[in-house]
Amino acid sequence: MQYHIEGMDCASCVGKIETALARMPGVSDIQLNFATEKLELTLAPDGATQFSDIEKTIKRLGFGISATSDQSIAANSANQSATEHQRWWQSRKGKQVVGLGLLMSIAYALSLLFPDYGMWAFAVAVIVGVFPFARKALALAMTGTPFSIEMLMSVAALGALIIGEPEEAAAVVFLFSVGELLEGVAADRARAGIRALASLVPKSAILLDAQGGQRDVPAASLQVNDLVLVRPGDKVSADGIITQGNSSLDDSPITGESIPVAKTVGDDVFAGSINMEGALQIRVEKTAADNTIARIIELVEQAQASKAPTARFIEKFSRYYTPAVMAIAALVIIIPPLAMGGEWATWLYRGLALLLIACPCALVLSTPAAIASGLAVGARRGLLIKGGSALEIIGRVNTVAFDKTGTLTEGKPRVTDVVAFTKDRMDSQGEDAILALFASVESASSHPLAKAIIDHAKAANIAIPIASKAYATAGKAVHATVAGRALAIGSPVYAANETSITSEQNAQIAALQNEGKTVSVLFDEQSREVLGLVALRDELRDDAKEGIAQLKAMGVRSVMLTGDNRLTAQALASHLDIEWEAELLPEDKLRLLNEMKDKTKIAMIGDGINDAPALATADVGIAMGGGTDVAIETADVALMKSRVTDVAHLVALSRATMSNIHQNVIFALGLKAVFLITTVLGITGLWIAVLADTGATVLVTLNALRLLRFKTGSST
């Protein structure tokens, strides 16, 4: 059986559902994926449990459930992306928070205007707000999870209400409701990354029949060995092999290659790649359920499922804290009157005061207050951190894996060298003349390298001659006539077949390529003379070297993972003093990250769609803000200013935040421990208990606010 589960806002929800289902007879092989909200299980045909029983159990726990069919991952994701998602205020939890907030505002106003009725107004707010949590707590208790966070909150709120502190009870309920809502919103944002991946593959394809006819069909319906046409500017609709035509394809969504790759008959192509120039006929090799994008989606889903977020501190602590405090309170109320002849009223008062001291307000705030301050500081610096779990982990990271293209580099090719092999009669300055000819020939091309050359010539205020008879040999060269001369620009391999390149010229080409640069050759097609070279490279970001050095000073190791060629990777890595691995596909990056994760805490930084699986499987994923939406949605952190130095700022901020959290927990638990003892001994009473709880909350909040003054290098 397969189901879609709604309403899971944190990883602990998975455990609650699995525990409840495991207790049902005839249910086995339970697999619940938090990231995709998919539940799979096996139900014994002759068992006592029916399909309806499973649905009733899950709904009783406060989650939605619907049956699903066994579709491909890509199809499921595409269907989800087509569904309009609710705004936060339209959801059940959002309406609950808004309603409770209004009730508390009304209660506060009434308490000011009519003090005698304010208490009752707050009591109504508490009862209305706590009801759904109390009902869920009872359902969880009946299905094997008696000491849940819902149980702790319900008992604390009702305890505060019983002893006459409805304002405190209302604050607990409202705070918990807001926390639940924020977790739900964050979970949905994380899942949006998977939905966005499916949109990379075009919805339709041009299918060619045996007679050469063309018709539009859904891309998901393509079968192995079908022939499809991909026109210039179109996305490739399926993984396959080129059977006719040649062109340059932008494979950056798949391989991370920064420059379009020339491909011809017999070469592999990937679904989602963009055809830059000539028309291609492609024979389909893989269906939509098994293409490259579908595999990336599956990798992301699996990575998110295996990387359950850090459980909330209070959820872990409540496994011991909740039953212990409830047991102590019960013993305080019952034992003295029965065993020592104490007065019931006195010990009931002390027990209720103990419940108030046990109210987790300060403890609940200890982590979120510091996290909220840390997130605010990060936002001011352009560091979009998606939740406290990510902020906690970053400070413990001791290895950072960088993608190259668009992360350590700008992601845009730039002209680095212009070499003139002859003085051109058009200009006494050879290099300027050669650059002018390069720009003239490339002026009719839309290739990224052509744009970089033209932009470089314009920036140098060089007059670009008008070219005529411009055309392209797809994937090989561009041709044009300039001032009566038939010129061409191509790769060194193409130029070697069309001209006679001297050994000196070959040595210069090799030297440039060894520096990780892409070389284009300009030659005269009539005289077969090589006129000059232009070298281009995707240059390092201005702060890349400084950012790596800062991480090294903090004891954090850096490694570069890229889909680019080894020469480019080696040249850039040597300049940065960084370890490197090159020519990697998405699954290769994933394999290397998993190997490193066995030995160290690791962060992955990337900007492309191809980085999405690696961003998801790392302990924390960080995306450059200028990157793709998919990378940003999949990652735990987005560097909105796209600065490499911000990675070191992230680590420092996380370490300061975790230090603040530890201080807050000591304040919260320390004060509670002191007043728990004094309350049991009768030294302090109800009002002191209220003051102790409020005081702990104030201390925790003020300490957390210190983080707002955090600066890089400070020891806050």
Side-chain angles (χ1 to χ4, degrees):
M1 295 295 300
Q2 287 192 343
Y3 294 97
H4 176 71
I5 306 298
E6 298 175 358
M8 293 192 299
D9 50 31
C10 67
S12 64
C13 297
V14 174
K16 294 171 183 176
I17 295 173
E18 289 179 342
T19 299
L21 294 178
R23 293 164 61 93
M24 302 178 72
V27 178
S28 59
D29 301 328
I30 302 166
Q31 294 182 347
L32 180 55
N33 189 321
F34 170 72
T36 60
E37 302 176 288
K38 288 194 298 189
L39 168 66
E40 295 183 4
L41 55 84
T42 301
L43 190 61
D46 301 325
T49 302
Q50 302 298 317
F51 304 139
S52 58
D53 298 327
I54 294 172
E55 295 180 359
K56 287 178 183 176
T57 298
I58 292 178
K59 287 180 179 178
R60 221 171 32 239
L61 297 178
F63 303 100
I65 180 173
S66 58
T68 61
S69 59
D70 187 11
Q71 303 180 56
S72 74
I73 294 171
N76 274 326
S77 298
N79 291 339
Q80 290 178 19
S81 64
T83 304
E84 185 174 349
H85 290 271
Q86 292 179 321
R87 300 289 186 180
W88 68 266
W89 59 83
Q90 297 172 321
S91 66
R92 177 176 56 83
K93 292 181 179 179
K95 292 175 181 177
Q96 181 177 326
V97 168
V98 172
L100 188 55
L102 289 173
L103 276 176
M104 288 187 66
S105 299
I106 293 170
Y108 182 71
L110 286 175
S111 67
L112 294 177
L113 297 174
F114 308 102
D116 293 339
Y117 298 98
M119 176 178 176
W120 296 106
F122 274 113
V124 170
V126 172
I127 293 171
V128 171
V130 83
F131 179 75
F133 297 115
R135 184 174 61 182
K136 186 174 181 179
L138 290 174
L140 287 167
M142 294 172 62
T143 53
T145 312
F147 301 117
S148 61
I149 184 65
E150 289 81 6
M151 180 67 76
L152 174 64
M153 192 280 300
S154 299
V155 172
L158 293 174
L161 187 61
I162 290 170
I163 61 175
E165 288 296 328
E167 298 96 334
E168 180 81 10
V172 171
V173 176
F174 183 70
L175 177 65
F176 188 81
S177 299
V178 171
E180 292 280 299
L181 173 64
L182 292 177
E183 285 188 342
V185 172
D188 187 66
R189 288 290 301 274
R191 294 175 183 124
I194 296 178
R195 293 193 294 268
L197 281 169
S199 66
L200 295 174
V201 180
K203 299 294 183 290
S204 62
I206 302 174
L207 181 66
L208 301 175
D209 57 30
Q211 290 73 38
Q214 303 178 9
R215 59 190 175 96
D216 288 342
V217 298
S221 68
L222 294 175
Q223 300 297 317
V224 176
N225 291 326
D226 281 350
L227 279 178
V228 294
L229 174 66
V230 181
R231 298 167 301 192
D234 287 350
K235 289 182 179 179
V236 177
S237 51
D239 284 11
I241 295 176
I242 298 175
T243 60
Q244 184 178 322
N246 47 61
S247 180
S248 293
L249 275 80
D250 179 3
D251 284 343
S252 59
I254 313 303
T255 65
E257 178 68 39
S258 55
I259 294 173
V261 180
K263 296 195 177 184
T264 187
V265 174
D267 288 338
D268 293 328
V269 294
F270 305 106
S273 297
I274 302 171
N275 183 16
M276 305 294 289
E277 296 160 0
L280 299 174
Q281 287 188 17
I282 296 171
R283 185 176 72 248
V284 176
E285 292 289 305
K286 294 176 182 176
T287 62
D290 195 36
N291 65 28
T292 305
I293 298 297
R295 292 203 311 275
I296 290 178
I297 292 172
E298 186 174 14
L299 289 171
V300 172
E301 290 184 349
Q302 290 173 350
Q304 290 186 340
S306 64
K307 187 195 69 174
T310 304
R312 291 175 296 181
F313 171 78
I314 192 64
E315 181 76 24
K316 287 183 176 181
F317 191 75
S318 67
R319 295 176 188 173
Y320 309 99
Y321 180 80
T322 307
V325 169
M326 293 176 71
I328 291 172
L331 292 174
V332 166
I333 293 171
I334 295 172
I335 290 181
L338 292 179
M340 298 179 290
E343 293 184 6
W344 282 100
T346 299
W347 289 100
L348 177 61
Y349 178 87
R350 292 182 182 179
L352 293 178
L354 186 60
L355 278 179
L356 182 59
I357 291 174
C359 178
C361 264
L363 192 57
V364 167
L365 277 172
S366 61
T367 299
I371 293 293
S373 294
L375 296 180
V377 171
R380 285 208 304 262
R381 291 177 172 273
L383 313 176
L384 179 59
I385 307 169
K386 300 179 183 178
S389 202
L391 185 57
E392 287 183 34
I393 296 172
I394 295 164
R396 300 199 299 268
V397 161
N398 41 33
T399 299
V400 176
F402 289 90
D403 175 55
K404 179 188 74 68
T405 305
T407 303
L408 291 172
T409 67
E410 296 285 353
K412 300 175 182 178
R414 293 182 181 179
V415 173
T416 59
D417 301 88
V418 178
V419 180
F421 289 133
T422 179
K423 293 283 185 180
D424 193 273
R425 62 177 177 270
M426 293 174 57
D427 193 324
S428 59
Q429 297 178 351
E431 290 183 1
D432 286 352
I434 292 301
L435 181 57
L437 292 176
F438 262 101
S440 179
V441 175
E442 295 279 22
S443 59
S445 174
S446 60
H447 195 284
L449 295 182
K451 187 176 184 302
I453 292 171
I454 294 168
D455 289 346
H456 186 71
K458 289 180 178 178
N461 294 318
I462 293 175
I464 301 175
I466 297 175
S468 60
K469 300 179 183 178
Y471 67 97
T473 303
K476 294 182 179 179
V478 289
H479 312 261
T481 299
V482 182
R485 303 170 66 185
L487 305 178
I489 299 173
S491 68
V493 174
Y494 179 80
N497 293 328
E498 301 295 322
T499 66
S500 299
I501 300 180
T502 67
S503 57
E504 182 183 348
Q505 292 168 344
N506 269 324
Q508 201 148 9
I509 291 171
L512 291 170
Q513 290 179 326
N514 286 333
E515 295 174 3
K517 299 173 182 177
T518 299
V519 179
S520 294
V521 181
L522 172 70
F523 59 93
D524 189 313
E525 292 188 289
Q526 293 175 333
S527 66
R528 295 170 58 87
E529 178 188 7
V530 176
L531 304 179
L533 310 174
V534 163
L536 303 96
R537 186 168 66 182
D538 185 8
E539 289 296 312
L540 290 169
R541 293 183 183 273
D542 294 338
D543 67 338
K545 191 169 185 178
E546 180 186 355
I548 300 299
Q550 288 179 359
L551 287 171
K552 188 174 182 180
M554 300 174 76
V556 180
R557 166 188 171 228
S558 299
V559 58
M560 181 175 71
L561 308 179
T562 178
D564 263 351
N565 63 77
R566 298 182 67 83
L567 284 175
T568 300
Q570 185 175 20
L572 295 179
S574 61
H575 182 70
L576 291 173
D577 189 21
I578 188 175
E579 299 175 42
W580 61 277
E581 294 283 347
E583 299 175 2
L584 303 175
L585 290 173
E587 52 265 37
D588 297 324
K589 292 183 181 180
L590 201 60
R591 173 181 52 79
L592 287 171
L593 282 175
N594 280 320
E595 290 175 1
M596 287 188 280
K597 275 183 71 176
D598 293 337
K599 305 172 185 176
T600 182
K601 279 278 184 189
I602 189 164
M604 174 69 196
I605 305 177
D607 78 315
I609 295 158
N610 61 295
D611 300 318
L615 291 173
T617 202
D619 293 297
V620 59
I622 303 172
M624 285 293 187
T628 63
D629 290 341
V630 174
I632 293 173
E633 291 289 352
T634 304
D636 303 299
V637 182
L639 307 181
M640 304 312 293
K641 296 181 180 178
S642 297
R643 297 184 302 204
V644 180
T645 50
D646 279 344
V647 181
H649 297 167
L650 265 177
V651 175
L653 176 60
S654 173
R655 292 176 179 177
T657 304
M658 291 308 299
S659 175
N660 193 279
I661 288 172
H662 295 154
Q663 295 164 8
N664 286 347
V665 171
I666 292 172
F667 289 151
L669 294 181
L671 279 175
K672 287 185 181 296
V674 169
F675 285 100
L676 183 148
I677 295 171
T678 57
T679 299
V680 171
L681 295 176
I683 299 172
T684 55
L686 181 61
W687 288 107
I688 298 298
V690 173
L691 186 61
D693 185 69
T694 305
T697 302
V698 170
L699 278 174
V700 163
T701 304
L702 291 176
N703 189 51
L705 290 176
R706 290 193 311 119
L707 272 174
L708 295 176
R709 303 197 306 269
F710 172 81
K711 295 180 180 179
T712 304
S714 67
S715 56
T716 300

